[in-house]
């Protein structure tokens, strides 16, 4: 490599200068240059050749990002709890065979663990398959649960757009044999509540049904064996134009041009109850048992969504397919709409932030006797939401606190470390959130500056006179007001003054 | 295999019956038998032969376990926040080289990911090394943070004793150049607060210092090159008796019997300030620079711990070694003591629940220029704490709620699904935690039973008469009292009646 050659040349320069007993300053300059080059190359012999980074497609969350993340989680969890969900957790990896055959074409994106003896393991790809495994394993036929955890996909990361290889999913699912469309409608209500609560701007929730898609494929002349692969092609319609999808269907997947064109006519349709009614009268679709079932349930769903008052954001969209193999009924996906579009223009979607659907067969795939547990659920894709919240926060110049500290225990004079330690210990034991600087004799100015920097609202100042008088000087950072508070009332005083925290 | 042959024979029977156009009932019976045999064998071609389990050493957390886990986390997080910590998160895997050379003999327990092209990755083994990598990468020289996340070790699981391959660590660390022993003392205060708060029974926090150990090894005649491996042997003293450790030192590790015996004399010592003073006078130790430094700091530490009022639970223990390579100063470990011991008997430790220490060199291992960031931290090992809390809860017969639902929306008559949907939607939109049964016409008794089972305190009953009157009947589950509440006051009434929730 050219860089390594350059380092060697520089090392030779240094060697020669030293040999020639050149000016020490000059030697030092060249040595510094050499070290710098080595550091850049990471080729320092005494050390590992570290690349100081997180793995591709992953990132750290620093305190600021965590504060934003916890805000978003709080909104989501409180919605899930509002709907009566319990919470579960499963291991980050599963037996490899647990994940096999569940994800269709996406299976290639699963992370496998190295075979180090023992079981073959893979990192979870989503939370749905582990949930189904959990239900089958524990013979649970009835549960409403949420699960918030990281999942792993060896995808091409696009981190600025919020696509990572390690990312959070926030899943809410309802398992059990119930009357049609009631749990399904609740899942859509949940998406609506969360996206409204987070104020992410305008959105639309697209809804379709796998049975309508399959019926449509059948009446368009797609052979049974090609249903899943043609479905995968349709799934790309949110990213690529119809012409490209069509040529994939005909070229790569061997569908007849006539069948593709018939599909093309259907997948451009989207609307509400009116469209459902129209399709129920469609001469071809209405003859197909699956499509009819799906359309009937879709009508019921829209009735329930009307009662929930949320049909304004719901679009029955025949182009929605969802990639995963395991869906069997209703499917849906929420997309945020671009804010700044010209009047009269169609809103452009900027990306999916939630998706889900019904998967009545998945649990049965794990049950030794194939017993089915009908399920429907929704997954909130939180990474894109984080990006938006981060951008918004940056734009707003709101200063976000990353700690909750109520008071800094400080001293105005030297030699008061022991008194500070005694006081802070009392405060901690009384449940007060308190910090101190880890210096024997910190300057008062530095202590006050620390409060400014981190947003600590109060300072409890220990001084010799105050110690004699049995008081502590309490300073309110915002107003610079100072009051003497009797030591035995200090905890109460801090509580009162920070009760809004 | 015999079973497979039997399945093939049965399949042949079915084939022949069909060919012979036999009685459909008989065919169906034989087909059912065949399917059953296939399912038992798991050899159904459409299905995998599943082992329905989580990977070795891992487990699911169901709603009850999660409720307990969240209680413990709440206590721990509120302590960390009380001490002014920020929070961060890092990816579950790191570049393999990031973990290389940090864990000594334990490195063999690291999970590697399969090489699927791209970077070589490993699951994190603890949260300390990723923290150091995070500091170096972001050039952070000053932070107090906590991090609660799962770590991974291919250890021999002992799940009843709370040892898993996937388990949580709750870490609190202070990074930065500060005056000696102030942050170190705070870490011990934190362990003391958390273990007291969780009421896990009596405990002791053992404290030592790597410099004292190294000094001790030196004066006992251990060659420099054997310090780390002899340290690993000493580390086993909490699990195996001295005689075994001695024979490992002499037999496997080639230490002279005299040196081993000298170590044996030291490692049986434990005590408080008195012991520190005595060792500061020890003719051999006091001659060793490292030991003297360590003992001086230990004395300072005990002074600070006296101000915190926690020396009663602290034991300076020369047998404490800690396995990990990266410690450079103070080390400590908290162990729970057995409850039922005879009067006069020494309390027996039942297991470590927290540990930590100072690691001043670790960040420098990642920095291209080797710049050091002194760090000290503590890790709470939460799994054993979960086990204890679970056992205690089971013994107490306390009924733990796994949801927070305030009200069930119910109906007394049929055909009121739409009214229930309308009412529950209103409640959700007002922030009330509400559930309903997903049935068109559920029986009132089943609805009330659901409240009993899940601890929902209120039922809002929709009935035809009530709808006409503009009221909802609110039933208090515990007392069976029923009151009519005007619909517009319902939200407020539910809030008041569940304000303790």
């Amino acid at each position: 490599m050219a860089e390594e050659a350059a380092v060697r040349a520089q090392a030779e320069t240094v060697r020669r200068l030293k040999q020639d007993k050149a000016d020490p300053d000059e030697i030092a300059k060249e040595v510094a240059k050499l070290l710098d080059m080595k550091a850049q190359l990471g080729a320092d012999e005494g050390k590992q050749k570290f690349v100081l980074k997180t793995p591709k497609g992953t990132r750290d969350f620093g305190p600021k990002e965590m504060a934003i993340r916890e805000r978003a989680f709080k909104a989501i969890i409180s919605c899930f709890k509002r709907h009566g969900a319990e919470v579960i957790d499963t291991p980050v990896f599963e037996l490899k065979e647990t994940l096999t055959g569940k994800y269709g074409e996406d299976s290639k994106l699963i992370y496998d663990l190295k075979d180090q003896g023992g079981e073959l393991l893979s990192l979870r790809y989503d939370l749905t398959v582990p949930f189904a495994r959990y239900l089958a394993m524990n013979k649970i036929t009835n549960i409403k649960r949420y699960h918030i955890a990281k999942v792993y996909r060896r995808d091409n990361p696009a981190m600025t757009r919020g696509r990572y290889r390690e990312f959070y999913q926030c899943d809410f699912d309802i398992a059990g044999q119930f009357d049609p469309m009631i749990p399904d409608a609740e899942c859509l209500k949940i998406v609506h509540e969360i996206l409204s609560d987070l104020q992410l701007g305008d959105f639309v929730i697209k809804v379709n049904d796998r049975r309508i898609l399959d019926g449509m494929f059948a009446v368009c002349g797609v052979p049974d064996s090609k249903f899943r692969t043609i479905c995968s092609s349709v799934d790309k319609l949110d990213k690529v134009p119809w012409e490209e999808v069509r040529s994939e269907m005909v070229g790569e997947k061997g569908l007849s041009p006539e069948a593709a064109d018939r599909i093309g006519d259907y997948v451009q349709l989207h609307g509400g109850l009116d469209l459902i009614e129209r399709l129920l009268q469609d001469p071809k679709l209405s003859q197909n048992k699956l499509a009819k079932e799906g359309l009937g349930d879709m009508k019921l769903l829209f009735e329930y969504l009307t009662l929930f008052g949320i049909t304004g954001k719901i679009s029955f969209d025949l182009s929605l397919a969802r990639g995963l193999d395991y869906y069997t009924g209703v499917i849906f996906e929420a997309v945020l709409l671009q804010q700044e579009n010209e009047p009269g223009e169609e809103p452009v979607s900027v990306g999916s932030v939630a998706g889900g659907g019904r998967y009545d067969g998945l649990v049965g795939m794990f049950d030794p006797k194939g017993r089915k547990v009908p399920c429907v659920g929704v997954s909130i894709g939180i990474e894109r939401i984080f990006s938006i919240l981060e951008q918004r926060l940056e734009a707003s110049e709101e200063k976000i606190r990353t700690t909750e500290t109520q008071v800094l225990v400080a001293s105005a004079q030297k030699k008061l470390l022991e008194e500070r330690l005694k006081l802070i210990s009392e405060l901690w034991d009384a449940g007060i959130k308190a910090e101190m600087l880890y210096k024997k004799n910190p300057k008062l100015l530095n202590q006050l500056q620390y409060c400014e920097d981190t947003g600590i609202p109060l300072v409890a100042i220990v001084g010799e006179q105050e110690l004699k008088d049995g008081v502590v000087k309490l300073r309110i950072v915002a107003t610079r007001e100072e009051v003497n508070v009797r030591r035995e009332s200090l905890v109460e005083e801090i509580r009162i003054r920070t009760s809004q925290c």
Side-chain angles (χ1 to χ4, degrees), chain A:
Chain A
M1 276 157 53
E3 291 90 340
E4 281 177 359
V7 170
R8 277 195 303 271
Q10 181 67 17
E12 178 56 25
T13 307
V14 170
R15 200 192 56 76
R16 211 171 324 114
L17 287 169
K18 283 181 176 169
Q19 198 181 34
D20 298 344
K21 295 199 167 41
D23 173 22
D25 278 351
E26 195 187 346
I27 295 181
K29 211 183 85 190
E30 294 302 322
V31 165
K33 201 166 148 194
L34 173 62
L35 288 175
D36 212 51
M37 289 167 77
K38 277 186 175 176
Q40 282 212 0
L41 189 62
D44 188 338
E45 281 160 277
K47 294 174 72 73
Q48 238 99 16
K49 186 172 166 181
F50 272 124
V51 188
L52 204 54
K53 67 187 284 292
T54 61
K56 184 177 177 188
T58 69
R59 60 169 165 172
D60 296 318
F61 284 83
K64 273 215 179 111
E65 291 89 53
M66 285 300 281
I68 295 166
R69 181 170 122 178
E70 299 210 328
R71 272 190 202 183
F73 280 161
K74 208 176 148 194
I76 291 167
I77 291 171
S78 75
C79 177
F80 291 164
K81 286 190 172 173
R82 194 157 60 237
H83 288 260
E86 304 182 279
V87 57
I88 72 161
D89 192 22
T90 64
V92 81
F93 43 61
E94 294 278 346
L95 298 185
K96 185 174 166 56
E97 58 180 347
T98 298
L99 307 190
T100 305
K102 309 298 187 304
Y103 300 108
E105 292 179 5
D106 288 349
S107 296
K108 62 181 184 297
L109 304 180
I110 293 175
Y111 277 98
D112 292 329
L113 269 73
K114 191 168 152 186
D115 182 2
Q116 293 169 290
E119 300 160 334
L120 291 181
L121 306 174
S122 302
L123 297 186
R124 61 183 164 209
Y125 180 85
D126 65 8
L127 303 178
T128 309
V129 169
F131 175 54
R133 191 267 307 146
Y134 169 78
L135 294 185
M137 191 173 130
N138 296 287
K139 298 193 171 48
I140 296 167
T141 55
N142 205 319
I143 192 174
K144 177 164 55 181
R145 79 88 181 84
Y146 72 92
H147 187 188
I148 295 183
K150 289 172 174 175
V151 302
Y152 299 88
R153 300 185 183 179
R154 294 179 56 253
D155 213 338
N156 248 345
M159 317 224 283
T160 49
R161 283 167 43 216
R163 195 161 80 228
Y164 292 87
R165 289 182 157 198
E166 173 186 63
F167 59 98
Y168 268 98
Q169 286 196 332
C170 307
D171 279 26
F172 171 98
D173 294 80
I174 300 172
Q177 185 70 58
F178 301 116
D179 282 324
M181 295 298 118
I182 311 178
D184 311 60
E186 184 168 1
C187 287
L188 292 166
K189 176 82 170 89
I190 281 176
V191 175
H192 192 277
E193 283 179 23
I194 289 173
L195 296 185
S196 306
D197 192 12
L198 289 172
Q199 299 180 291
L200 300 171
D202 205 11
F203 61 89
V204 64
I205 309 174
K206 299 180 190 173
V207 185
N208 198 0
D209 192 299
R210 272 284 163 90
R211 291 165 300 174
I212 300 177
L213 277 169
D214 284 355
M216 174 183 95
F217 292 147
V219 304
C220 291
V222 179
D224 281 17
S225 60
K226 287 197 166 51
F227 274 19
R228 284 282 77 78
T229 182
I230 293 302
C231 192
S232 290
S233 299
V234 171
D235 185 44
K236 293 171 185 161
L237 275 174
D238 57 338
K239 287 174 201 106
V240 300
W242 165 249
E243 275 316 310
E244 245 173 81
V245 170
R246 184 185 180 280
S247 81
E248 179 182 299
M249 287 177 177
V250 176
E252 286 173 42
K253 302 194 168 170
L255 191 66
S256 74
E258 298 74 30
D261 289 335
R262 273 177 234 129
I263 293 175
D265 288 341
Y266 280 117
V267 294
Q268 62 177 308
L269 301 175
H270 55 94
L273 256 179
D274 50 333
L275 176 61
I276 300 169
E277 299 286 5
R278 218 173 78 211
L279 290 177
L280 275 169
Q281 308 303 324
D282 183 279
K284 281 180 295 176
L285 272 186
S286 62
Q287 295 310 306
N288 181 283
K289 191 171 160 285
L290 270 179
K292 232 174 115 182
E293 251 181 56
L295 286 165
D297 275 350
M298 189 59 69
K299 195 177 158 189
L300 194 58
L301 178 68
F302 265 77
E303 284 168 19
Y304 295 159
L305 298 179
T306 306
L307 292 166
F308 288 161
I310 61 171
T311 44
K313 303 273 189 208
I314 311 276
S315 168
F316 169 44
D317 189 326
L318 282 164
S319 74
L320 178 71
R322 306 271 305 148
L324 300 175
D325 266 9
Y326 49 63
Y327 291 117
T328 56
V330 165
I331 49 177
F332 54 87
E333 196 165 295
V335 292
L336 299 181
L337 301 176
Q338 208 139 38
Q339 300 297 301
E340 342 73 326
N341 47 304
E342 300 296 309
E345 240 182 307
E346 279 262 296
V348 190
S349 88
V350 290
S352 154
V353 288
R358 178 162 283 284
Y359 48 101
D360 288 347
L362 190 56
V363 178
M365 288 175 77
F366 290 108
D367 188 277
K369 294 193 177 156
R371 279 169 299 209
K372 289 188 175 180
V373 177
C375 294
V376 63
V378 52
S379 181
I380 311 286
I382 192 74
E383 306 300 331
R384 188 165 280 143
I385 293 176
F386 288 155
S387 306
I388 296 168
L389 293 179
E390 273 178 15
Q391 282 164 23
R392 185 188 308 162
L393 198 80
E394 232 159 84
S396 80
E397 290 178 25
E398 180 198 343
K399 212 176 163 188
I400 193 163
R401 276 197 76 181
T402 56
T403 66
E404 298 174 11
T405 308
Q406 295 165 289
V407 62
L408 185 82
V409 173
S411 56
Q413 298 114 343
K414 291 194 171 183
K415 296 198 181 162
L416 287 169
L417 172 61
E418 302 205 340
E419 292 299 334
R420 282 190 292 140
L421 287 172
K422 248 161 64 183
L423 179 59
I424 201 169
S425 181
E426 283 172 33
L427 294 177
W428 285 332
D429 292 344
I432 298 292
K433 294 169 193 143
E435 287 185 70
M436 56 178 274
L437 297 198
Y438 302 121
K439 296 271 170 198
K440 267 173 121 160
N441 297 308
K443 290 185 183 137
L444 186 58
L445 205 65
N446 289 345
Q447 296 175 89
L448 297 179
Q449 188 59 47
Y450 184 78
C451 293
E452 297 279 356
D453 293 345
T454 61
I456 299 176
L458 300 173
V459 194
I461 304 172
V462 182
E464 273 162 27
Q465 189 57 47
E466 287 84 359
L467 282 168
K468 275 184 209 142
D469 299 345
V471 298
V472 173
K473 187 177 284 172
L474 195 64
R475 181 185 168 106
I476 294 88
V477 177
T479 62
R480 298 179 184 188
E481 182 196 349
E482 292 187 344
V483 286
N484 278 340
V485 179
R486 293 214 57 79
R487 182 123 176 178
E488 58 272 23
S489 317
L490 182 62
V491 167
E492 190 53 26
E493 186 70 25
I494 294 171
R495 279 208 192 112
I496 292 167
R497 287 187 181 267
T498 55
S499 58
Q500 74 284 6
C501 290

